[in-house]
Amino acid sequence: MILGPSNTAGKVEDAFLFIVVCCVVLLAIVTACMVVFLIRYNRKRHPRPERVRESLLLEVVWTVVPTVLVILMFYFGWVDFDYIRNPPKDAMPVQVTARQWSWMFTYENGRQTDILNVPVGKPVKLLMTSADVLHCLYIPAYRIKEDCVPGLTTHLWFTANETGTYDIFCTEYCGVGHSHMRTKLVIMAADDFRKWYAAAPGEGIADRGTALLQAKGCLGCHSLDGTPKVGPTLKGLLGRKETVIAAGRERELTIDQGFIRGHILDPRALTVKGFPPVMPPIPMTEEELKTVVAYLETLK
Ligand SMILES: [Cu+2]
């Protein structure tokens, strides 16, 4: 029995190992028979073919053994699949919203992040949906993945066996920013998680601004450090001169507060030249728009 970094990883690994071992043993037997037959029944030694009589014993063996092996493969696969599909009752629920091109995790107390933080040793249940197109949440180290479908809630669950940081990928091609749609799974010690979970986000504009941009998924496509991603960087955005394309025509524009507010709510009206016209409208309250603008002021 393999332990692995999570309960699910061990299960999948066990079933996979059993199948690989069966395949390797069968391959060795078939290859050995082939080589022996090649030498022993060579045409030089047997110029005239001989009549071969059937062997009931041999036929029974080569029918029964593979049948039993295939049934065992199905059995291990089914038992583990059933286990991985059914979360325990006491699992900690986390809502997951996938959107082009970011992940948002919402906890029971309303806390929202773009990185999945969970405690070690506790079952966690992800309740997943999508705000736009099909996505798929994949945790390679845990050997689990599940689709995120608009209008539907799908689920995944796991219990982490050890602390650490693991990759989360989107594995359903979802548009130009698909390769940017990755984040981290952070497994914390129980005490660290309790502290993180209870901590209120900081009161300063930098903390509130980044928390809001994270929660709304903006940072999936826009960096804060000057590097362009799917969209232009937010660093120095306010007051910057950009060439924009509106209704197929190009023009110069200085980005001001009005532009930011309008563009968040209705991004399809115009696009910054050099970037794909793919930003979805981001619903925000007046309060949230104020926070974004105030935060962008500090990034000038
Ligand atoms: Cu995706």
Side-chain angles (χ1 to χ4, degrees):
M1 172 93 191
I2 298 164
L3 190 58
S6 78
N7 60 337
T8 52
K11 296 265 177 205
V12 175
E13 220 92 310
D14 280 342
F16 195 68
L17 191 66
F18 175 71
I19 293 171
V20 170
V21 168
C22 289
C23 291
V24 169
V25 169
L26 282 176
L27 175 74
I29 294 173
V30 169
T31 310
C33 286
M34 201 172 72
V35 171
V36 168
F37 286 16
L38 266 177
I39 297 164
R40 204 164 156 190
Y41 301 107
N42 193 296
R43 196 162 81 166
K44 281 180 211 140
R45 294 188 188 188
H46 297 266
R48 299 197 53 188
E50 248 174 76
R51 194 177 160 73
V52 181
R53 239 165 286 244
E54 79 267 12
S55 159
L56 186 64
L57 178 70
L58 200 58
E59 284 182 19
V60 169
V61 168
W62 78 41
T63 307
V64 171
V65 171
T67 305
V68 170
L69 284 180
V70 169
I71 289 174
L72 277 178
M73 284 179 198
F74 173 78
Y75 172 77
F76 288 132
W78 170 257
V79 168
D80 292 346
F81 176 76
D82 188 52
Y83 174 80
I84 287 172
R85 288 311 302 158
N86 291 298
K89 292 262 175 327
D90 63 337
M92 177 180 103
V94 180
Q95 307 281 339
V96 180
T97 309
R99 66 157 61 94
Q100 291 171 316
W101 289 279
S102 64
W103 300 98
M104 183 171 81
F105 303 100
T106 309
Y107 294 79
E108 271 186 301
N109 67 355
R111 183 124 203 223
Q112 290 186 324
T113 64
D114 61 348
I115 289 176
L116 181 56
N117 293 297
V118 297
V120 70
K122 183 162 173 56
V124 175
K125 178 167 68 175
L126 305 179
L127 296 160
M128 314 196 294
T129 192
S130 166
D132 38 49
V133 300
L134 290 179
H135 300 276
C136 182
L137 188 139
Y138 178 35
I139 310 174
Y142 287 5
R143 314 285 189 250
I144 48 172
K145 61 156 80 172
E146 183 62 54
D147 282 0
C148 304
V149 183
L152 198 74
T153 302
T154 53
H155 72 270
L156 265 185
W157 83 277
F158 60 84
T159 305
N161 288 336
E162 37 194 76
T163 56
T165 302
Y166 303 92
D167 290 316
I168 292 179
F169 295 128
C170 176
T171 50
E172 184 88 54
Y173 181 64
C174 55
V176 277
H178 171 64
S179 60
H180 290 272
M181 201 167 157
R182 50 208 149 101
T183 184
K184 293 282 173 207
L185 164 66
V186 179
I187 309 298
M188 301 172 159
D191 275 349
D192 293 342
F193 178 78
R194 217 169 295 132
K195 268 181 229 148
W196 174 84
Y197 188 69
E203 283 306 299
I205 185 64
D207 286 333
R208 285 192 294 128
T210 36
L212 180 63
L213 292 178
Q214 262 175 12
K216 295 288 179 182
C218 310
L219 302 185
C221 297
H222 301 280
S223 77
L224 296 174
D225 62 1
T227 34
K229 291 170 86 178
V230 178
T233 180
L234 299 183
K235 188 180 178 190
L237 184 65
L238 267 180
R240 192 157 73 205
K241 273 212 167 65
E242 291 279 12
T243 308
V244 298
I245 305 170
R249 240 180 284 155
E250 289 185 17
R251 65 187 158 94
E252 282 261 306
L253 180 85
T254 304
I255 295 188
D256 58 9
Q257 294 198 6
F259 174 90
I260 302 280
R261 288 166 162 271
H263 198 66
I264 288 172
L265 302 175
D266 180 21
R268 302 255 149 91
L270 43 85
T271 311
V272 173
K273 194 182 172 189
F275 294 95
V278 290
M279 178 166 159
I282 311 288
M284 281 198 197
T285 62
E286 178 54 31
E287 203 52 42
E288 289 170 334
L289 286 171
K290 270 188 192 150
T291 307
V292 170
V293 169
Y295 177 56
L296 291 181
E297 285 283 350
T298 69
L299 295 182
K300 263 183 174 174

